[in-house]
């Protein structure tokens, strides 16, 4: 999965939730600073998991603070072994 593929899925989700446009420059901004609360963060992650057919462990969920953190984890999870 490329960063562009990830953004193509993530940006519309964030825009739906916050009403604000999301761009590549915001990948390192925390979810809190993007006005995304913990419940909305779980919704975003769940939809990303469905889209990229992967699963994030609960213990890992607590460590993901930014969209880039989510991208990095999903990239590792979907990489061929």
């Amino acid at each position: 999965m490329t960063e562009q593929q990830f953004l193509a899925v993530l940006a519309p989700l964030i825009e739906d939730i916050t009403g604000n446009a999301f761009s590549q420059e915001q990948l390192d901004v925390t979810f809190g600073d993007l006005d995304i609360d913990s419940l909305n963060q779980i919704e975003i992650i769940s939809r990303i998991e469905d889209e990229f057919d992967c699963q994030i462990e609960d213990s890992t969920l607590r460590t993901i603070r930014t969209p880039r953190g989510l991208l990095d984890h999903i990239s590792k999870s979907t990489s061929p072994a």
Side-chain angles (χ1 to χ4, degrees):
M1 171 192 56
T2 68
E3 189 172 285
Q4 292 305 317
Q5 290 170 316
F6 179 75
L7 285 170
V9 174
L10 181 68
L13 291 175
I14 290 179
E15 290 171 17
D16 285 347
I17 288 170
T18 66
N20 298 318
F22 181 81
S23 67
Q24 185 173 4
E25 292 77 28
Q26 294 172 296
L27 280 172
D28 295 310
V29 177
T30 65
F31 285 111
D33 288 342
L34 292 170
D35 294 327
I36 298 170
D37 63 25
S38 58
L39 292 177
N40 285 328
Q41 184 178 348
I42 290 168
E43 173 66 19
I44 288 169
I45 291 172
S46 175
R47 291 171 70 181
I48 292 287
E49 287 175 325
D50 291 345
E51 182 68 29
F52 293 105
D53 193 29
C54 64
Q55 183 68 36
I56 300 174
E57 297 295 324
D58 289 342
S59 60
T60 302
L61 285 176
R62 291 187 284 273
T63 66
I64 296 173
R65 302 281 182 241
T66 65
R68 185 171 310 279
L70 179 58
L71 167 62
D72 291 345
H73 185 76
I74 298 294
S75 292
K76 290 175 194 172
S77 297
T78 59
S79 296

